Amino acid sequence: MVKKLLAVGLFFVGLACMSASAEDGSRLWLRQDIAAQATVCCKLQSATLDKAKEELRKSWQGGPVILELCYDAEHTALGKEGYTIKTLSDSVRLGASSEAGLLYAAYHLLRLQETGAALERLDIKEKPAYDLRILNHWDNPDGTVERGYAGHSLWEWNELPETLSPRYEAYARANASIGINGTVLNNVNASPNMLESGNLKKVKALADVFRPYGIKVYLSVNFASPAVLGGLPNADPLDEGVFEWWKGKVKEIYSLIPDFGGFLVKANSEGQPGPCDYGRTHADGANMLARALKPYGGLVMWRAFVYNPTEHDRAKQAYAEFKPLDGTFLDNVIVQVKNGPIDFQPREPYSPLFTAMPHTSLMAELQITQEYLGHSNHLVFLAPMWKEFFGYVRPESLRAVAGVSNIGNEANWCGHDFAQANWYAFGRLAWNPRMSSEDIAEEWLKQTFADDSSFVCPMKKMMLESHEAAVSYMMPLGLHHIFAWNHHYGPEPWCEVEGARPDWLPSYYHQAGKDGIGFDRSSRTGSGATAQYPDSLARVFDNPQTCPDEFLLWFHHLPWDFKMKDGRTLWDALCCKYEDGLQTARKMQAVWTEMKPYVDAERYGRVAERLDIQVNDAVWWKDACLLYFQTFSGMKLPAGMEKPKHKLKDLKKVKLPISNYERPAREMLP
Ligand code: GCW
């Protein structure tokens, strides 16, 4: 008998192992048991309510749940997507003034269950901080993804509209579970072909899948479309024919997709066409599109990511072009500004536009895909970086938040299993920017891996330290853009490319020389970028004695022996930062090794393999930057640091393939 029991036991252990080893990460944070068969009461029926009911029925393990549409003062005050969750004597009641609100409430309740929260006396009121919480895909019609590191595009344009991949619904569900309610399907470097009638039918097919999950679709548009696609002689926004063309296109779109969200536009930036080609302003361009969209309730998200090779300081450009336009945009235009003034660097001060355009709707563009943070090789939890941004920019001064997606067609969606946490964190912060990074990490870990404090505590710590570590081993103390040419993966502070725009080269940014290092943006001796900030902050940034260390070399060019606040020389402080970053990466690797018992073999292995690359890359970054900067400083590495593993001349030979949109493989790295 005992033997038989043992055999049965072993059989089940075997099964458990098999299912653990089939763990491809595709279930994201939505891994709840699906055999619950809960009682769900809801008098109404609709596509969205059916999703909410189905989720609860399958996974809720408590008593009956009642879903109610409520139009009382309490619920109307919570807006279109807010909701309440209340424990009653014999049930839980979810209330909202919209179906989407009830769907969000259902996901909230399940999240509480999955994270082990106390469920006895729930009395929750939720209202999203923004009406628009949107992903930006940089996906091209040919299936490539600009700055995507998780395979190819999720959208199978060749198969649409006839064939609908089951992943479209899985994508919508994942987004809805964290409150994301919009998606821009295509790259801001937009192909005019996207607006062809045949392609719009494909967009409609996706919109139909996403709609029940409360998600609207948007498109990036190429400003020259009337000329390129429509055959007009130009795309001048003040030309009536151009406006008529857009009006017609917009009408066609809304006839297919009545709840279409609107357009995202990258204009007059990095070679894209725009209104300035015709001597018009960004406002002229944005307002023309806004007029076409207005009758249907559509929006224009107009990007402020502009810079010009002739401007002496790239960090000042967007402000220079957009601030004078404050107050001139129509009310269905939102100006979309990247979090920092340059370009999604590992760390940037906030873009001064956020505090300079009080009469314009602004939205923040955050980058979820790790273009400048180790692609899908490095474990970098981005919530702390975004929280830093919200520490400077008041959440209520924004109208919306967008995140550049890190999603591709790989089984685990994001390449790195921990990059899923950044998709998750984006959604949670777009819903509530006041949530702490710690709470987000904890929620995600519990739902995605295990609800065991011996796992959650060390892993949470590791996630919370990971961004600072990456900044330290790549670009500490305000250094920025010292990446290798174009692929933005490894270090190349020495990079020179004949004929290249200076503002695409690292030396433009680090300005290292015998006299010191850093970009002088101070008002007295430098570019004066500090003056674009409100006075109180401008004063702090302007003075190297008060400028926070993390922005020191962003705003100042300082001698190598500059005395830091703690008395060390700048050179020593820089070296120690690189060393700290590397040692934290090593610690992350050690922590993960200890987590082996809590994690299935497949995900354990994938993450371990990437942490190995991350540590090696941290050595690469540290050696490359310090050995190169040492040629100027002429100073010794401080005692106690790990000795360089590489020689500068060898590192200078490393070349990764530029057009590699996939993860750089181990063999390509030093
Ligand atoms: O950072 C740069 C990226 C480009 C991107 C551009 C942008 C979509 O390297 O790949 O183009 O930003 O945000 O428009």
Side-chain angles (χ1 to χ4, degrees), residues 395-541:
E396 48 294 352
S397 68
L398 302 174
R399 174 143 161 222
V401 181
V404 181
S405 144
N406 63 351
I407 300 162
N409 69 354
E410 279 187 9
N412 74 353
W413 303 87
C414 303
H416 199 307
D417 287 273
F418 274 76
Q420 297 177 354
N422 293 329
W423 178 7
Y424 185 88
F426 170 76
R428 299 294 284 134
L429 284 176
W431 183 278
N432 176 10
R434 296 216 149 70
M435 227 184 136
S436 73
S437 303
E438 193 172 351
D439 287 349
I440 297 171
E442 184 164 329
E443 272 187 14
W444 179 79
L445 282 164
K446 286 180 171 177
Q447 293 171 92
T448 310
F449 286 99
D451 182 1
D452 182 323
S453 62
S454 326
F455 172 77
V456 174
C457 292
M459 285 310 297
K460 190 165 68 178
K461 184 161 184 293
M462 163 167 160
M463 286 171 76
L464 293 174
E465 290 174 356
S466 61
H467 173 250
E468 195 62 49
V471 171
S472 297
Y473 64 66
M474 289 182 176
M475 275 162 265
L477 299 181
L479 286 174
H480 50 290
H481 228 310
I482 55 178
F483 293 94
W485 178 249
N486 203 347
H487 58 65
H488 300 162
Y489 184 83
E492 219 176 75
W494 50 81
C495 172
E496 288 300 337
V497 175
E498 227 183 87
R501 284 172 60 153
D503 56 355
W504 282 354
L505 293 172
S507 55
Y508 171 96
Y509 297 98
H510 63 63
Q511 307 264 322
K514 295 268 181 234
D515 66 329
I517 183 169
F519 197 124
D520 187 353
R521 297 192 165 102
S522 70
S523 52
R524 212 168 37 83
T525 52
S527 75
T530 48
Q532 295 184 335
Y533 290 91
D535 286 350
S536 54
L537 203 53
R539 271 196 300 276
V540 173
F541 288 159

Side-chain angles (χ1 to χ4, degrees), residues 243 282-292 300 302 328-330 333:
F243 174 61
H282 287 280
D284 293 331
N287 291 343
M288 182 272 294
L289 292 176
R291 279 201 293 136
V300 175
W302 191 272
T328 64
F329 292 93
L330 293 179
V333 176

Side-chain angles (χ1 to χ4, degrees), residues 231-499:
L232 299 191
N234 64 62
D236 183 346
L238 300 193
D239 182 322
E240 212 37 42
V242 168
F243 174 61
E244 286 302 319
W245 186 89
W246 281 109
K247 242 171 77 177
K249 205 27 103 181
V250 166
K251 187 172 176 202
E252 181 186 350
I253 296 175
Y254 279 91
S255 70
L256 293 164
I257 311 164
D259 57 351
F260 179 72
F263 295 148
L264 171 62
V265 193
K266 170 175 178 177
N268 294 114
S269 165
E270 299 186 329
Q272 293 299 316
C276 309
D277 301 345
Y278 306 96
R280 315 300 184 197
T281 67
H282 287 280
D284 293 331
N287 291 343
M288 182 272 294
L289 292 176
R291 279 201 293 136
L293 287 157
K294 182 83 179 172
Y296 307 91
L299 289 174
V300 175
M301 294 167 289
W302 191 272
R303 294 175 93 225
F305 176 67
V306 292
Y307 60 101
N308 190 318
T310 54
E311 167 70 45
H312 162 61
D313 180 0
R314 173 172 164 184
K316 288 173 64 183
Q317 178 102 20
Y319 180 101
E321 275 190 47
F322 277 81
K323 183 175 165 53
L325 301 174
D326 186 28
T328 64
F329 292 93
L330 293 179
D331 64 358
N332 59 332
V333 176
I334 312 182
V335 175
Q336 178 166 317
V337 187
K338 288 189 182 182
N339 60 289
I342 292 209
D343 186 12
F344 296 141
Q345 293 305 292
R347 171 171 277 134
E348 295 196 30
Y350 78 88
S351 164
L353 269 180
F354 287 111
T355 40
M357 298 186 73
H359 308 294
T360 303
S361 293
L362 296 176
M363 62 193 285
E365 179 177 319
L366 308 173
Q367 195 180 41
I368 313 171
T369 190
Q370 290 169 234
E371 172 179 359
Y372 294 103
L373 279 163
H375 297 188
S376 56
N377 276 344
H378 293 200
L379 190 165
V380 185
F381 181 50
L382 299 176
M385 178 169 84
W386 299 331
K387 289 292 293 183
E388 225 170 86
F389 166 78
F390 283 118
Y392 280 98
V393 175
R394 281 180 314 112
E396 48 294 352
S397 68
L398 302 174
R399 174 143 161 222
V401 181
V404 181
S405 144
N406 63 351
I407 300 162
N409 69 354
E410 279 187 9
N412 74 353
W413 303 87
C414 303
H416 199 307
D417 287 273
F418 274 76
Q420 297 177 354
N422 293 329
W423 178 7
Y424 185 88
F426 170 76
R428 299 294 284 134
L429 284 176
W431 183 278
N432 176 10
R434 296 216 149 70
M435 227 184 136
S436 73
S437 303
E438 193 172 351
D439 287 349
I440 297 171
E442 184 164 329
E443 272 187 14
W444 179 79
L445 282 164
K446 286 180 171 177
Q447 293 171 92
T448 310
F449 286 99
D451 182 1
D452 182 323
S453 62
S454 326
F455 172 77
V456 174
C457 292
M459 285 310 297
K460 190 165 68 178
K461 184 161 184 293
M462 163 167 160
M463 286 171 76
L464 293 174
E465 290 174 356
S466 61
H467 173 250
E468 195 62 49
V471 171
S472 297
Y473 64 66
M474 289 182 176
M475 275 162 265
L477 299 181
L479 286 174
H480 50 290
H481 228 310
I482 55 178
F483 293 94
W485 178 249
N486 203 347
H487 58 65
H488 300 162
Y489 184 83
E492 219 176 75
W494 50 81
C495 172
E496 288 300 337
V497 175
E498 227 183 87

